[in-house]
Amino acid sequence: MKKFYIATDHAGFEVKDFVVEYLRSKGHEIIDLGPHSSERVDYPDFAKACANAVVSDKGSFGILICGTGIGISIAANKIAGVRAALCHDAYTAGITRNHNDANILCFGSRVVGLGVIESMLDAFSSSEFEGGRHSDRVAKIESCSFGADL
Ligand code: RB5
């Protein structure tokens, strides 16, 4: 069983309770970092809260949801140690654990339906990092700042 932190913006708020209940029903621990109403909020604020929680709590994972999943994933990936993956189906949600050691699953509430969300949560929570040839690549993500070769 895994420990998750979850945060959304107002668009993602619509499916947050569904995700929380689903993961709890599967025996996972999940901590809700908000928002706690449908009032409009800025996704970078909630991305930062979840990203910091995941990095500070070794071995934990995150779920971030906005309308598209794009803004909240871009914001989360600004925090060192975060590998936030924007996923659209069970395949991408599982393989990002296997190959990228993703520690935050991101998706768009306006992009995927509840059935796809369940399948992504199952794939992400049950898949493990494969290590091996992927370890050096993940280490490069963590250690380097990419610059343009001009
Ligand atoms: C909010 O309208 C929307 O811009 C946000 O949820 C997200 O899709 C941004 O990337």
Side-chain angles (χ1 to χ4, degrees):
M1 292 306 112
K2 293 193 162 84
K3 180 177 183 180
F4 289 91
Y5 292 92
I6 187 169
T8 72
D9 72 353
H10 49 283
F13 176 78
E14 295 168 15
V15 298
K16 179 156 62 65
D17 285 350
F18 175 83
V19 172
V20 168
E21 290 313 313
Y22 186 75
L23 285 174
R24 283 189 182 143
S25 79
K26 298 291 178 182
H28 299 292
E29 180 182 359
I30 180 158
I31 296 165
D32 184 350
L33 299 175
H36 300 293
S37 82
S38 58
E39 198 176 316
R40 297 187 86 79
V41 293
D42 296 332
Y43 56 79
D45 298 332
F46 288 86
K48 187 177 175 185
C50 182
N52 282 330
V54 168
V55 169
S56 312
D57 188 355
K58 197 167 159 47
S60 70
F61 294 89
I63 308 283
L64 284 170
I65 315 163
C66 66
T68 59
I70 297 171
I72 210 158
S73 58
I74 291 172
N77 278 312
K78 296 287 185 183
I79 306 290
V82 163
R83 292 176 300 282
L86 173 55
C87 297
H88 300 94
D89 48 40
Y91 175 72
T92 48
I95 203 95
T96 196
R97 286 284 309 120
N98 297 154
H99 288 194
N100 315 122
D101 200 14
N103 50 13
I104 300 185
L105 170 68
C106 304
F107 60 86
S109 61
R110 297 171 181 162
V111 180
V112 291
L114 299 182
V116 172
I117 291 173
E118 287 183 354
S119 70
M120 289 195 297
L121 295 172
D122 288 342
F124 190 82
S125 61
S126 65
S127 300
E128 301 299 338
F129 182 48
E130 289 176 359
R133 70 188 189 281
H134 304 294
S135 295
D136 289 350
R137 298 164 184 164
V138 171
K140 284 186 180 184
I141 293 173
E142 295 307 310
S143 68
C144 71
S145 301
F146 295 107
D149 289 332
L150 299 175

